[in-house]
Amino acid sequence: MTGTRFRHPAGGPDKTSGGNGRKPAAFTALSRPGYGTICLCYLLTLTVFLSPLALVMAILFADIGPHAFRAHYFYIRTSVGLLVIGAGLGCLMIVLGASFSTTLIFAGLAFVVLTVALTLARGVTGLSRALRCRPPRNYRSYFV
């Protein structure tokens, strides 16, 4: 043979699944910012326990995409931040109340409940805006 023949084009081997030339839909949806990823982040935030995963995704995509995407990711980050700070302070009040007074325990419990309610309200509001492909109304606010 006089020339070399390559199985793959000059760009390198094809990183797609199978021979159809397309990437898997799940990997594509999670590897770039978009309304699908934003809705997934809001759903993870609504579960409260998986909100750290939503925070990681929101940090990864914080500065990518148009302004509407960045507004949603900022809104998600502040929602998770409020959840962490509020739950931490409420739990601290509960622990300190065990030594000092029952009223402090109930105040800490109320603080945790209000924090979770605020996070759920922010998650539902953000999810409804993301499903309509609109940015949050006031994404810099700490309330709904």
Side-chain angles (χ1 to χ4, degrees), residues 29 32-39 41-42 54-55 57-79 136 139:
R32 60 189 167 98
Y35 282 108
T37 309
I38 291 169
C39 290
C41 284
Y42 281 121
L55 179 65
M57 291 176 69
I59 289 172
L60 286 176
F61 301 130
D63 296 326
I64 303 173
H67 177 70
F69 292 174
R70 288 182 293 203
H72 276 291
Y73 290 126
F74 185 83
Y75 196 72
I76 291 167
R77 288 191 321 250
T78 55
S79 296
Y139 67 95

Side-chain angles (χ1 to χ4, degrees), residues 97-128:
S99 299
F100 296 118
S101 85
T102 309
T103 308
L104 194 58
I105 293 174
F106 288 129
L109 185 61
F111 200 72
V112 169
V113 168
L114 290 174
T115 301
V116 170
L118 176 65
T119 304
L120 293 178
R122 285 176 62 94
V124 168
T125 302
L127 181 63
S128 67

Side-chain angles (χ1 to χ4, degrees), residues 2-61:
T2 59
T4 58
R5 294 182 185 186
F6 293 101
R7 187 173 184 191
H8 301 290
D14 186 34
K15 300 281 191 231
T16 58
S17 66
N20 61 0
R22 292 187 294 179
K23 292 183 180 179
F27 178 74
T28 304
L30 294 177
S31 65
R32 60 189 167 98
Y35 282 108
T37 309
I38 291 169
C39 290
L40 178 64
C41 284
Y42 281 121
L43 290 174
L44 290 173
T45 304
L46 288 173
T47 61
V48 177
F49 295 110
L50 295 176
S51 60
L53 184 59
L55 179 65
V56 168
M57 291 176 69
I59 289 172
L60 286 176
F61 301 130

